[in-house]
Amino acid sequence: MIDIVKEFPGVRALKGVQLKVRPGKVHTLMGENGAGKSTLMKCLIGIHPPTSGRIIFDGKEVNFKTTQEALNSGISMIHQELSPVPERSVAENLWLGRVPTKSFFRVDHKKMREDSYKLFEKLGLDVNPDEKMGNLTVAKMQMVEIAKAVSYDSKIIIMDEPTSSLTETEVEHLFKIIEDLKARNVAVIYISHKMDEIFRISDDITVFRDGEYVATDEAKNLTVDKLITLMVGREVTEMFPKIECPIGETVLKVENLSAGKAVKNVSFELHKGEILGMAGLVGAGRTETAEAIFGLRTRTGGKIYKDGKELNIKSPEDAIANGIALLTEDRRGQGILGLLSITDNTAIANMKEYGFPLNHGKMRTDTTDYVDKLNIKTPNIETPIQNLSGGNQQKVLVGRWLLTNPDILIVDEPTRGIDVGAKAEIHSLITRLAGEGKAIILISSEMPEVMGMSDRIIVMHEGIMTAIVDRKDFSSELILEYATSDTPYDPSKKEG
């Protein structure tokens, strides 16, 4: 890809960038959110034809007008945001647009199932082709998307954040599939923010910054620090800027909270100025606990107190009215309103403050204030939020909840799928809010993050709370031990 320029109304997303990919190699694209990685890939496969520049594939100049043209030529892509057809079977999703047919153009369901079984067997995947797609976990859906991309027998497979929803076992399985693809001389273009993954599987790494090409080098010639400096244009010396804040009185008290089978008798206290981490493996019940507190999930038992007063939270509206905010894990599904502007997305949780008819001037003023405070990169505040990078979308959602002036802020996987620069900014913001006296619950699957940011950590396993660990006792081994234990927490015993 040579001198690729891509312009959207009001913004130049790519400014003459380049990329050279070798067959049989993993070529990783790095850069902060908004650097242009996904946009460049969409230019390659025909979603956003480049404004100018040249694409040479297999020695010939190409200019794909549609993704189907790219697929037919041998380039497939696994997108970061999955878009399955939930009411149809796995097999129908797998062969969508190319189903095998028999006489009179009838779908050959038998062949479609057989081909699906053969593909899953070849990749070592345990998925039932007859299962409805919507019944699968997000991780299983991701593996089906990976299988779909492989099924095209492509010469290049683009993987955009493929491990964001996978367990460690599934990540290992993906890496094995990638090794098999390399052995067949298939090139993999890999987009990820996870440093340990990148240095483990990459042959070549290209860095972009603000829509511009920065550098390309072999992975063996780079270090984490050097890569971060290339990405952000500065050294990120403090990824987890934890400062000691005075811990005040109890703000939130949760007693024997239950929510069906997902949450069982969880009890803890949260204090003013405290960052309380929640750790655990997939299925531990951390998100479900947060949803039960916020009114997104029906409580089947237990009590919630704020400032000593029992709350009867039955909906998110009740939670917001009581000074509780939740930054959801599912940014795409439960967070952003993609077609609406940054202003609308920022103001929506605080609509009662804008009167009727709405005071649009005050909405714009408040939004501009948080765009400046949170360093949100956008052409203007009327830009649809779906046009922003993942990290900037996340910052808009943070601004949304800060605008409600909550006493308690629950942040669920706040840095998932965003780059190191944006991560550092989110971490600094969380620390600053704690310093201002906000009470924070931080849910994270990244051990360095939850240990680096928290004053205490609640550890959960399959819906039960197995430990509360003080900061002085933090170790990944100890937290992992509790995360795999099925013994409920006993407050009479000393942690650590």
Side-chain angles (χ1 to χ4, degrees):
M1 302 184 78
I2 305 162
D3 294 330
I4 303 296
V5 172
K6 181 60 188 176
E7 294 177 343
F8 296 101
V11 61
R12 199 176 207 204
L14 296 173
K15 306 165 187 174
V17 303
Q18 57 179 293
L19 178 67
K20 186 181 284 188
V21 177
R22 301 186 286 162
K25 303 292 182 183
V26 175
H27 195 122
T28 298
L29 305 188
M30 295 291 291
E32 296 188 79
N33 288 101
K37 308 179 299 293
S38 296
T39 302
L40 184 66
M41 292 301 95
K42 288 173 182 177
C43 286
L44 174 58
I45 66 169
I47 294 177
H48 297 317
T51 306
S52 64
R54 300 168 64 216
I55 301 173
I56 313 295
F57 177 53
D58 255 3
K60 298 176 184 176
E61 185 161 347
V62 295
N63 185 16
F64 303 125
K65 297 291 193 298
T66 65
T67 54
Q68 195 61 48
E69 282 185 31
L71 283 168
N72 293 342
S73 298
I75 303 176
S76 58
M77 180 170 179
I78 303 159
H79 295 271
Q80 182 179 0
E81 307 292 351
L82 302 180
S83 53
V85 184
E87 294 303 312
R88 309 308 299 179
S89 72
V90 168
E92 288 171 306
N93 273 267
L94 200 56
W95 305 104
L96 191 66
R98 49 184 180 140
V99 293
T101 56
K102 44 190 178 182
S103 57
F104 301 109
F105 302 104
R106 288 181 299 160
V107 175
D108 190 340
H109 289 280
K110 182 180 178 184
K111 184 175 188 324
M112 187 162 63
R113 289 176 71 252
E114 287 174 353
D115 289 348
S116 299
Y117 274 117
K118 285 177 186 174
L119 179 63
F120 290 148
E121 186 178 2
K122 173 183 169 185
L123 299 177
L125 300 180
D126 181 22
V127 183
N128 180 2
D130 298 322
E131 183 69 71
K132 189 187 286 187
M133 194 72 169
N135 292 344
L136 300 187
T137 63
V138 175
K140 278 279 177 72
M141 286 185 194
Q142 185 74 283
M143 295 308 282
V144 171
E145 285 295 314
I146 290 164
K148 186 176 180 179
V150 171
S151 72
Y152 283 97
D153 291 326
S154 301
K155 294 177 180 177
I156 296 177
I157 297 180
I158 304 160
M159 300 185 179
D160 192 353
E161 297 283 357
T163 64
S164 60
S165 304
L166 303 185
T167 64
E168 287 186 22
T169 304
E170 289 161 335
V171 170
E172 291 300 321
H173 201 128
L174 173 62
F175 289 172
K176 184 178 180 301
I177 291 171
I178 289 173
E179 286 301 319
D180 291 342
L181 291 169
K182 288 175 64 176
R184 287 163 34 202
N185 218 32
V186 175
V188 175
I189 300 177
Y190 196 87
I191 302 175
S192 176
H193 297 116
K194 298 182 179 179
M195 292 291 180
D196 53 341
E197 290 181 5
I198 288 158
F199 281 99
R200 183 173 164 192
I201 66 166
S202 302
D203 296 294
D204 303 316
I205 298 176
T206 290
V207 179
F208 300 109
R209 189 192 315 141
D210 295 329
E212 296 181 355
Y213 171 82
V214 176
T216 298
D217 205 340
E218 291 186 45
K220 64 185 180 183
N221 298 331
L222 294 166
T223 64
V224 171
D225 289 343
K226 188 174 180 182
L227 193 51
I228 289 173
T229 302
L230 286 171
M231 286 170 60
V232 302
R234 64 189 189 278
E235 291 188 25
V236 181
T237 54
E238 189 66 80
M239 276 304 296
F240 307 108
K242 178 70 179 153
I243 57 173
E244 295 303 319
C245 303
I247 306 297
E249 67 273 10
T250 299
V251 177
L252 181 73
K253 184 178 181 182
V254 174
E255 280 186 357
N256 301 315
L257 181 70
S258 296
K261 295 180 180 179
V263 183
K264 307 163 192 171
N265 296 314
V266 170
S267 299
F268 63 88
E269 292 186 4
L270 173 68
H271 303 91
K272 188 174 181 179
E274 179 180 31
I275 300 177
L276 179 64
M278 293 188 80
L281 303 176
V282 173
R286 298 163 301 165
T287 293
E288 291 80 1
T289 299
E291 290 176 346
I293 293 170
F294 191 64
L296 268 176
R297 183 175 292 264
T298 303
R299 274 188 290 144
T300 54
K303 296 181 178 180
I304 299 171
Y305 300 88
K306 179 169 178 270
D307 297 326
K309 175 188 171 186
E310 185 176 351
L311 303 181
N312 184 23
I313 297 174
K314 293 184 177 179
S315 68
E317 189 176 18
D318 293 336
I320 294 166
N322 283 285
I324 302 173
L326 171 64
L327 182 66
T328 177
E329 172 190 28
D330 185 2
R331 181 172 67 230
R332 174 70 62 171
Q334 296 180 323
I336 69 167
L337 302 164
L339 295 174
L340 297 186
S341 69
I342 292 166
T343 299
D344 292 333
N345 272 274
T346 303
I348 196 163
N350 205 39
M351 281 298 181
K352 287 183 179 178
E353 297 298 314
Y354 299 113
F356 184 81
L358 290 173
N359 185 340
H360 290 282
K362 184 166 174 22
M363 286 169 62
R364 287 191 289 269
T365 299
D366 288 346
T367 301
T368 300
D369 186 31
Y370 277 100
V371 165
D372 292 339
K373 280 181 181 175
L374 302 179
N375 192 27
I376 297 169
K377 294 176 182 175
T378 175
N380 58 66
I381 61 173
E382 299 310 319
T383 299
I385 193 172
Q386 66 182 7
N387 291 358
L388 302 189
S389 66
N392 285 302
Q393 289 177 1
Q394 190 76 315
K395 289 186 201 175
V396 171
L397 297 183
V398 171
R400 170 193 295 175
W401 292 115
L402 293 184
L403 196 51
T404 68
N405 194 28
D407 302 311
I408 298 160
L409 179 60
I410 306 169
V411 289
D412 191 355
E413 303 287 1
T415 63
R416 173 176 286 172
I418 66 177
D419 59 79
V420 288
K423 275 187 179 183
E425 289 182 8
I426 295 286
H427 292 152
S428 293
L429 177 62
I430 290 170
T431 298
R432 193 165 74 242
L433 291 170
E436 294 170 2
K438 305 288 187 190
I440 314 282
I441 296 176
L442 168 66
I443 302 171
S444 177
S445 299
E446 294 188 30
M447 193 73 78
E449 179 173 70
V450 77
M451 286 173 55
M453 296 294 295
S454 305
D455 296 292
R456 293 183 299 150
I457 296 175
I458 292 173
V459 189
M460 295 187 67
H461 172 76
E462 295 185 353
I464 64 171
M465 195 170 88
T466 57
I468 299 180
V469 184
D470 289 329
R471 186 172 180 84
K472 61 182 174 55
D473 300 317
F474 286 177
S475 78
S476 53
E477 293 80 11
L478 178 67
I479 290 168
L480 193 58
E481 181 184 334
Y482 282 127
T484 54
S485 167
D486 54 10
T487 304
Y489 170 61
D490 182 352
S492 67
K493 292 183 179 178
K494 177 68 180 154
E495 303 85 7

